Amino acid sequence: MKLLHNATIITAEKEAAGTIYIKEGKIADIIYKDEEDYPARVFSILRTLPRESIMELEGKCVMAGGIDAHVHFREPGLTHKADMDTESKAALAGGVTYMIDMPNTNPATTTAAALKDKILTAKTKAHGKMAFHIGATNSNVEDICRLVKDGDRVAGITSEDIAGVKVFMGSSTGNMLVDSENTLDRLFAIKEKPILVHCEDEDTIKTNLAKAVEKYGEDIPFTEHENIRSRSACIKSSIKALEMAMKHGTRLVLCHISTKEELEMVRAAKLNNPQIVAETSCNYLWFSNDDYVRLGSRVKCNPSVKTPQDREALRKGLAEGLIDTIGSDHAPHLLSEKDNKYAKAPSGLPTIQQSLPVLLTIAAQEDIPLTRIASVFSEKASEIYGLNTGKIAKGYAADLVIFDKEKEFTVKAEDIKSKCGWSPYEGENLKGVIEEVLVNGISVI
């Protein structure tokens, strides 16, 4: 049993002072100071608890632990740069208590057997809570449809073991491109699980890359990344995904939105299909194409970071509720891999540890209420994936993050928990020092 006393409790509905009672790893009660019976209810709990079970949190904030449904922990096959042990520690240090791993590992998680292997690995290595998406290819649609309905007895997989189905409509790390029209149509007709899509038009990217090679040879500047992985590549692919989602009524998660046009397309598409989910990453809320000169490969990710105007539109979408969830797209690579010429430098940024402070800093900059941060950081994802975590509500797992929203810090390499040991946010001054994280009511940092 534990009592989080005199905290500022932040949920999607309100930010208010109160007390949270934790019993047997779950939230047993939430008592707000503005309730008439607050003193009596709190006293009745206090009298039953030993002093060491009471956490006095005057001036501190409590929010549900983050649910990051878009991480690349690189295990199996790429553990020289990251693994479930190191990256889940980085997640917890950033207040993320539930992580859903993407399928583009080696081997890719495109079969029941590969999914089972990941689940077993997580049981012995991961910290906090982990789940997994299964990946679609041009050839496994029959298996995907069967698995999301009935699981696989031979592999010991149930449909509940699958968080969602990831569809790469543009190539990325792992090259799991799905470009068959028939396959896409069948995947978007799936009702049992959310369909998560990476939208970039492959033909557009290939054409743009060929032009860059013709112009620059091997010395393509990183400033060309936004022209190669262009806004038109994103928009063209997202139009296709949204049209299919409206046709089939798909529970679609449009991943890592990077352009203002895509955001407006989502706004319109939601009128037809309210199940469409807009996800972006903190990377697109923080960085812009102005940062390519300064950071080079360290801000190379897919989709590419776009203009300050796109960043402004995304921040506005966050404030007004059009952005539903934040997925870090945490994608570690070693600096020895990143510090190459453009074509050889892999795309991806290790950022999960900074997600919450970046969101809190943006909220302060843009005067965004922290209720919105609670929604995109955990609560909406809890609803999308049907989880008993991610909300400060009775009966939910006591997975919580305690932080000082006013305290500032500078991101330093020596504080980074990810195995790769770096972050594009190094040197940035951020608000929101995370002081403690609870998983099932137990302190883990």
Side-chain angles (χ1 to χ4, degrees):
M1 293 186 292
K2 189 170 292 186
L3 198 71
L4 310 187
H5 192 38
N6 289 326
T8 298
I9 302 169
I10 303 170
T11 70
E13 285 73 39
K14 66 188 209 178
E15 177 180 343
T19 294
I20 301 172
Y21 179 39
I22 298 169
K23 187 177 182 180
E24 296 178 352
K26 296 185 182 299
I27 297 171
D29 205 358
I30 310 106
I31 314 162
Y32 290 101
K33 281 192 173 182
D34 59 6
E35 297 173 7
E36 289 186 6
D37 59 349
Y38 175 82
R41 288 172 64 189
V42 171
F43 180 72
S44 68
I45 298 170
L46 284 171
R47 63 191 297 185
T48 67
L49 295 178
R51 181 171 298 178
E52 60 269 20
S53 297
I54 301 166
M55 297 178 65
E56 178 56 55
L57 297 177
E58 186 81 37
K60 309 299 181 185
C61 297
V62 179
M63 201 160 68
I67 299 172
D68 193 334
H70 195 151
V71 306
H72 300 271
F73 281 3
R74 305 303 194 202
E75 189 165 3
L78 300 165
T79 53
H80 66 285
K81 64 181 81 183
D83 59 44
M84 293 186 194
D85 171 48
T86 58
E87 307 318 293
S88 60
K89 287 177 179 176
L92 289 174
V96 176
T97 53
Y98 197 103
M99 308 130 248
I100 309 181
D101 192 51
M102 287 295 177
N104 47 335
T105 46
N106 186 18
T109 317
T110 57
T111 66
L115 179 62
K116 183 67 172 182
D117 286 345
K118 269 192 173 181
I119 292 170
L120 292 175
T121 301
K123 286 181 178 179
T124 60
K125 294 188 70 173
H127 306 270
K129 298 175 179 179
M130 274 199 76
F132 303 92
H133 299 302
I134 195 162
T137 69
N138 280 325
S139 60
N140 74 345
V141 64
E142 294 283 352
D143 290 338
I144 292 287
C145 291
R146 175 178 54 83
L147 287 169
V148 297
K149 289 181 180 179
D150 303 316
D152 187 300
R153 287 188 179 181
V154 174
I157 294 293
T158 69
S159 61
E160 286 72 27
D161 290 318
I162 300 169
V165 178
K166 181 62 181 289
V167 181
F168 287 94
M169 295 176 70
S171 62
S172 187
T173 302
N175 196 26
M176 294 169 58
L177 176 66
V178 178
D179 56 7
S180 162
E181 295 292 332
N182 180 61
T183 298
L184 287 171
D185 203 59
R186 293 193 64 189
L187 289 168
F188 275 73
I190 288 172
K191 303 296 184 186
E192 291 82 4
K193 298 291 177 181
I195 305 299
L196 301 93
V197 291
H198 177 131
C199 286
E200 290 183 286
D201 182 68
E202 192 66 15
D203 288 339
T204 301
I205 293 168
K206 287 180 178 177
T207 299
N208 293 340
L209 180 58
K211 290 178 180 178
V213 170
E214 183 179 358
K215 183 175 181 179
Y216 297 103
E218 293 184 356
D219 297 316
I220 299 172
F222 286 96
T223 52
E224 282 296 302
H225 188 55
E226 67 162 323
N227 297 322
I228 295 169
R229 314 286 300 211
S230 65
R231 68 189 313 107
S232 60
C234 295
I235 293 165
K236 183 176 181 179
S237 186
S238 291
I239 287 173
K240 184 174 184 177
L242 291 169
E243 286 178 342
M244 294 181 72
M246 289 187 286
K247 172 186 174 182
H248 291 289
T250 313
R251 284 196 287 158
L252 176 74
V253 180
L254 194 64
C255 293
H256 39 46
I257 293 173
S258 62
T259 70
K260 58 185 178 181
E261 290 91 345
E262 288 171 289
L263 204 57
E264 290 308 310
M265 287 155 46
V266 167
R267 188 193 304 275
K270 281 187 173 190
L271 297 175
N272 176 278
N273 179 359
Q275 294 192 98
I276 291 170
V277 173
E279 178 212 272
T280 195
S281 159
C282 285
N283 304 330
Y284 306 108
L285 295 165
W286 190 266
F287 298 110
S288 76
N289 58 358
D290 293 338
D291 294 301
Y292 286 118
V293 173
R294 178 172 63 93
L295 293 171
S297 66
R298 297 192 187 200
V299 76
K300 183 189 179 190
C301 57
N302 301 338
S304 63
V305 171
K306 304 299 193 301
T307 68
Q309 292 74 31
D310 292 299
R311 178 178 60 193
E312 181 182 352
L314 289 166
R315 287 186 174 203
K316 184 178 178 182
L318 172 65
E320 66 184 24
L322 185 54
I323 296 292
D324 295 295
T325 65
I326 298 295
S328 67
D329 197 9
H330 177 76
H333 297 287
L334 300 181
L335 283 177
S336 59
E337 298 169 324
K338 291 289 270 186
D339 290 342
N340 274 296
K341 291 186 176 182
Y342 177 84
K344 291 185 177 181
S347 292
L349 313 180
T351 59
I352 196 168
Q353 191 174 336
Q354 291 83 42
S355 288
L356 180 55
V358 168
L359 286 171
L360 294 171
T361 305
I362 291 170
Q365 291 172 347
E366 306 291 346
D367 198 25
I368 298 172
L370 294 186
T371 52
R372 283 293 304 131
I373 304 306
S375 180
V376 299
F377 189 59
S378 58
E379 293 200 22
K380 186 65 176 181
S382 177
E383 296 171 9
I384 294 165
Y385 298 100
L387 304 176
N388 191 42
T389 183
K391 291 187 178 183
I392 298 179
K394 288 183 181 181
Y396 275 70
D399 302 335
L400 304 165
V401 54
I402 301 167
F403 59 92
D404 186 328
K405 68 178 181 179
E406 300 299 335
K407 195 171 182 180
E408 299 185 1
F409 69 101
T410 301
V411 180
K412 298 177 181 178
E414 57 263 33
D415 298 325
I416 292 168
K417 305 296 183 184
S418 181
K419 183 184 281 190
C420 67
W422 69 277
S423 167
Y425 293 102
E426 284 175 53
E428 300 284 4
N429 293 314
L430 302 177
K431 293 176 73 74
V433 172
I434 295 169
E435 298 191 348
E436 194 153 359
V437 177
L438 309 181
V439 175
N440 295 329
I442 298 171
S443 297
V444 292
I445 67 163

